[in-house]
Amino acid sequence: MPAPRPLRDIAVVAFAQTDHRRTSDELSEVEMLMPVLHEVLAQTGLKTGEVGFTCSGSTDYLAGRAFSFTMALDGVGAWPPISESHVEMDGAWALYEAWTKLLTGDADTALVYAYGKSSPGSVRDVLTRQLDPYYLAPLWPDSVALAALQAQALIDAGHTDEPALAAVASRSRASAAGNPHAQLRGPVPRGGYAVRPLRTGDCPPVGDGAAAVILAAGERARELCERPAWIRGIDHRIEAHGLGVRDLTDSPSTRLAAERAGVFERPVDTAELHAPFSSQEVVLRKALRLDDGVTVNPSGGALAANPVMAAGLVRIGEAADRIRRGESDRALAHATSGPCLQQNLVAVLEGDPR
Amino acid sequence: MPEVLKAPLVVEFPFTRSLGPVQSAFLTGLRERVVLGVRTGDGRILVPPVEYDPVTSEEVGELVEVAATGTVTTWAWNHEPRRGQPLDRAFAWVLVRLDGADTALLHALDAPGGPDSVRTGMRVRVRWARERSGAITDIACFEPHEAHEPGGADEPAAHDGRFENPVTGIVAPARLDYTYSPGRAQSAYLHALTERRVVGERCPSCRKVYVPPRGACPTCGVATSERVDVGPRGTVTTYCIVNIKAKNLDIEVPYVYAHIALDGADLALHGRIGGIPYDRVRMGLRVEPVWPDGGGHPDHYRPTGEPDADYETYKELL
Ligand SMILES: [Zn+2]
């Protein structure tokens, strides 16, 4: 079944991100976020009050404070009142909400932003709180441990081995050499085991960062951007929360989301995959049927910078930037959330034909 | 610039959760050393059990008893256990498909032989916790079980899920530790308080002075940077009389809680009013801070004795 064409043409017209760093304790969240908001607005010439809809992604658990996202609203000029929403998820899902808002015709432009400071706490422990509270959370299985279970399942199934995982990690960080925002660049040691079979080199850096995107519909997008990155399709799917119910070597939710977003209708030239662990790239490549002709994570991906809650939005922004710069004509962007690729969002972005 | 402040922040919460019939039976079963699964419409047996089929979303509730022995379907060696995890020495995380079940349960495997003694496909059995209360931690962990006993437990038996004194809820304690840093603007504000000063920040665009400063003007969406001393005197813009004694707070009721516009600020902050009978507090009352020994936030504000401020001077700050 071909994916239905969206009701309106909607594009990413601007993208900005912070330099992602291990700590940013001299900055509050809003202080970290504001330069990115200003940059993305400056790219389009829009003023805060002119944006039709604003949507953000973040999580209170990283900050350790309830309703922490309301403080960040100071940075968007929320007075007089604006049309605004928030998702307690990665900003890629905030972008999905903004996209649907633009589809309805209620707005022609949207500002989407996301941020996460992992440095104040222990992100491995924090992420255990998103697990099933009855059967999983009381055991405190951390994010690295769960990814390691998935990696071992892949090795047992013959889909990868430790040297192949190391190659994924080293290719990612080599690509990140050209990304001034990345946290880890160039040769990074494989390191000792974090949780075997994953070594520290297979795991994402822990860091702080933010990102923002502006969406615009139809002619508005052409006014704001020379070569808009049109969102041809976007979809997100979720799998059973019970890890032991799932086949951890595959990602049917990613495949289904890709199908519904229209990925398989024509080849893509670029894929920005949100794979915080090297082993997860193996799963995603298979689910998305990416061959060697596709440039995967030219930004370095989440292995080079993983600002929790913003890393997925960064994937969409990086893919869009490739199109806006004319380096790609049809790109795939993917975002994930939850343990072992539980939830997956896939978007297809295209530039105008040249 | 003064150094950015940091302080430990502990977030602790005991989540109290109720259980449905399936989870209640499963967790009560663990207390009684019985492992229950649930049968789906297509005959698969899910352990741990859920109330719906993850594929069809159909409600399920037919309970069966499975064995306390099983097979590792995948594993990961955890050489550095973290707080709260099942064992305090190196162990393997495992997904275990118990004999009779079609899905796997996550838990810890105590493997004294180290990572080389663990493999996918190895046989394990439940090690029960000595004290059991009806929680997933009633399984202390799994342990290797290479015994050559005859099978027999492979055919799961129907179970009515009834136990005496079933557990109907769990308390899931959680604790997360942070090092909180309030950032540049609020650090400066807190530093100034130690010197019995109050500082705000002026918006470069609308010129409003915010106190306490949060680093941004919520109206203009731009960074505030120009530091401005405000107060310490101010005007009560509005107030309420509190008649409920707060827990752990050594303040006699009734007392007055007020919004106070410090001189030079464009935003009122709040504080307690003391040194005047509660029923004499009024809008426009001029007040000043009473500082605690050693600095910090004012303990309360008291009347200065000046004439009341004219309504026109503070009506925009209400
Ligand atoms: Zn302003």
Side-chain angles (χ1 to χ4, degrees):
Chain A
M1 186 182 72
R5 210 178 153 76
L7 303 165
R8 286 177 99 187
D9 286 332
I10 294 162
V12 176
V13 296
F15 168 57
Q17 61 183 315
T18 55
D19 292 346
H20 307 293
R21 298 186 291 143
R22 178 63 188 88
T23 60
S24 59
D25 52 15
E26 77 284 11
L27 300 173
S28 67
E29 274 112 346
V30 68
E31 288 167 341
M32 178 176 75
L33 184 59
M34 247 180 322
V36 168
L37 295 172
H38 296 158
E39 189 187 332
V40 84
L41 288 165
Q43 283 178 29
T44 58
L46 284 171
K47 304 236 176 352
T48 45
E50 296 167 354
V51 175
F53 182 60
T54 299
C55 197
S56 60
S58 68
T59 175
D60 284 353
Y61 277 79
L62 280 181
R65 290 197 315 288
F67 294 100
S68 58
F69 72 93
T70 58
M71 307 290 272
L73 277 173
D74 285 354
V76 297
W79 180 266
I82 58 171
S83 174
E84 184 271 339
S85 183
H86 173 260
V87 297
E88 190 83 2
M89 287 194 77
D90 187 290
W93 276 264
L95 182 140
Y96 184 88
E97 182 177 335
W99 178 75
T100 56
K101 183 81 169 181
L102 264 53
L103 279 186
T104 66
D106 275 359
D108 292 329
T109 53
L111 169 64
V112 180
Y113 65 89
Y115 62 93
K117 287 181 67 162
S118 295
S119 59
S122 161
V123 72
R124 282 173 73 171
D125 295 332
V126 166
L127 291 177
T128 66
R129 301 301 94 191
Q130 71 179 339
L131 301 170
D132 173 330
Y134 303 98
Y135 301 157
L136 292 182
L139 306 174
W140 293 83
D142 60 280
S143 47
V144 179
L146 296 175
L149 285 167
Q150 184 173 34
Q152 185 63 42
L154 285 165
I155 291 169
D156 287 335
H159 294 318
T160 192
D161 54 28
E162 289 193 35
L165 295 179
V168 168
S170 93
R171 191 212 73 236
S172 299
R173 276 116 190 196
S175 301
N179 177 356
H181 303 290
Q183 188 177 334
L184 285 187
R185 288 193 287 260
V188 170
R190 283 178 77 186
Y193 285 118
V195 179
R196 181 171 163 178
L198 292 180
R199 295 172 181 273
T200 53
D202 294 305
C203 304
V206 174
D208 302 350
V213 156
I214 289 180
L215 299 182
E219 279 312 301
R220 199 79 181 95
R222 285 182 217 281
E223 288 164 24
L224 297 172
C225 176
E226 207 159 307
R227 185 169 153 86
W230 301 104
I231 300 174
R232 294 302 183 206
I234 182 167
D235 196 283
H236 61 106
R237 301 282 156 169
I238 181 170
E239 303 186 13
H241 73 259
L243 286 170
V245 173
R246 292 161 49 187
D247 172 3
L248 296 179
T249 69
D250 196 7
S251 183
S253 58
T254 300
R255 189 178 300 112
L256 184 57
E259 215 170 270
R260 299 295 171 94
V263 169
F264 302 126
E265 287 165 23
R266 285 194 295 121
V268 296
D269 53 47
T270 303
E272 277 287 343
L273 305 180
H274 185 193
F277 297 92
S278 59
S279 43
Q280 294 180 340
E281 184 179 305
V282 176
V283 178
L284 292 170
R285 274 177 181 268
K286 189 176 98 171
L288 293 164
R289 300 175 205 151
L290 300 178
D291 59 32
D292 292 341
V294 180
T295 306
V296 172
N297 287 348
S299 65
L303 282 163
N306 189 39
V308 174
M309 296 294 137
L313 183 64
V314 170
R315 303 281 73 72
I316 298 175
E318 290 280 6
D321 265 3
R322 294 266 292 178
I323 286 170
R324 294 197 299 133
R325 291 195 300 261
E327 292 162 9
S328 164
D329 291 318
R330 182 171 156 87
L332 175 162
H334 160 268
T336 195
S337 182
C340 302
L341 302 171
Q342 185 190 11
Q343 316 192 37
N344 295 284
L345 178 147
V346 177
V348 180
L349 304 169
E350 282 182 359
D352 284 322
R354 289 183 285 192
Chain B
M1 184 177 109
E3 114 190 61
V4 170
L5 296 171
K6 286 182 186 186
L9 170 70
V10 177
V11 177
E12 252 180 318
F13 42 96
F15 263 132
T16 305
R17 294 176 179 272
S18 51
L19 304 172
V22 171
Q23 289 180 319
S24 168
F26 175 68
L27 293 179
T28 310
L30 295 185
R31 191 189 69 199
E32 308 303 323
R33 302 187 188 214
V34 168
V35 187
L36 298 181
V38 70
R39 198 189 300 270
T40 63
D42 63 359
R44 289 186 318 140
I45 290 170
L46 309 182
V47 179
V50 288
E51 303 92 338
Y52 58 90
D53 184 320
V55 179
T56 64
S57 309
E58 267 171 31
E59 189 174 347
V60 291
E62 185 191 338
L63 297 167
V64 293
E65 182 177 348
V66 299
T69 54
T71 305
V72 170
T73 64
T74 185
W75 62 283
W77 186 256
N78 190 30
H79 65 91
E80 261 176 343
R82 304 169 75 80
R83 186 175 71 203
Q85 294 182 343
L87 294 166
D88 55 12
R89 56 188 173 275
F91 67 90
W93 288 107
V94 281
L95 280 165
V96 175
R97 192 168 54 230
L98 291 171
D99 297 332
D102 293 293
T103 61
L105 173 101
L106 179 90
H107 221 292
L109 171 70
D110 187 12
D116 294 335
S117 71
V118 183
R119 62 179 202 287
T120 296
M122 79 183 283
R123 298 283 297 158
V124 296
R125 73 172 165 212
V126 169
R127 179 190 296 164
W128 296 104
R130 208 165 303 144
E131 312 228 324
R132 296 180 308 281
S133 59
I136 192 66
T137 45
D138 288 354
I139 297 176
C141 62
F142 282 87
E143 59 192 21
H145 177 63
E146 300 292 353
H148 299 285
E149 290 163 18
D154 290 34
E155 228 15 76
H159 194 289
D160 64 10
R162 292 210 190 107
F163 296 95
E164 264 185 59
N165 306 319
V167 294
T168 56
I170 59 165
V171 178
R175 174 190 167 124
L176 294 169
D177 287 70
Y178 302 88
T179 302
Y180 181 66
S181 171
R184 177 196 55 81
Q186 295 186 67
S187 287
Y189 171 76
L190 294 168
H191 272 299
L193 285 182
T194 64
E195 298 163 8
R196 301 191 167 190
R197 288 186 306 122
V198 183
V199 298
E201 282 186 350
R202 192 189 306 277
C203 171
S205 173
C206 68
R207 311 298 296 161
K208 278 200 164 121
V209 173
Y210 290 93
V211 58
R214 301 209 299 238
C217 171
T219 307
C220 306
V222 298
T224 55
S225 50
E226 185 191 335
R227 204 159 288 157
V228 184
D229 272 274
V230 296
R233 292 190 165 188
T235 302
V236 171
T237 62
T238 185
Y239 64 94
C240 65
I241 299 166
V242 180
N243 285 289
I244 298 167
K245 198 164 166 60
K247 212 170 150 186
N248 306 329
L249 207 57
D250 193 23
I251 300 172
E252 285 308 313
V253 293
Y255 65 88
V256 172
Y257 201 64
H259 273 192
I260 300 152
L262 295 182
D263 296 344
D266 291 293
L267 195 73
L269 46 67
H270 43 215
R272 183 169 63 90
I273 307 294
I276 179 173
Y278 71 91
D279 55 359
R280 302 272 309 280
V281 175
R282 55 202 180 264
M283 289 170 75
L285 181 71
R286 295 284 296 158
V287 293
E288 64 188 3
V290 176
W291 299 98
D293 291 337
H297 280 99
D299 178 72
H300 63 276
Y301 291 78
R302 66 178 171 217
T304 62
E306 297 166 277
D308 285 3
D310 184 19
Y311 179 67
E312 292 297 314
T313 64
Y314 63 86
K315 69 175 185 185
E316 295 296 326
L317 302 175
L318 279 175

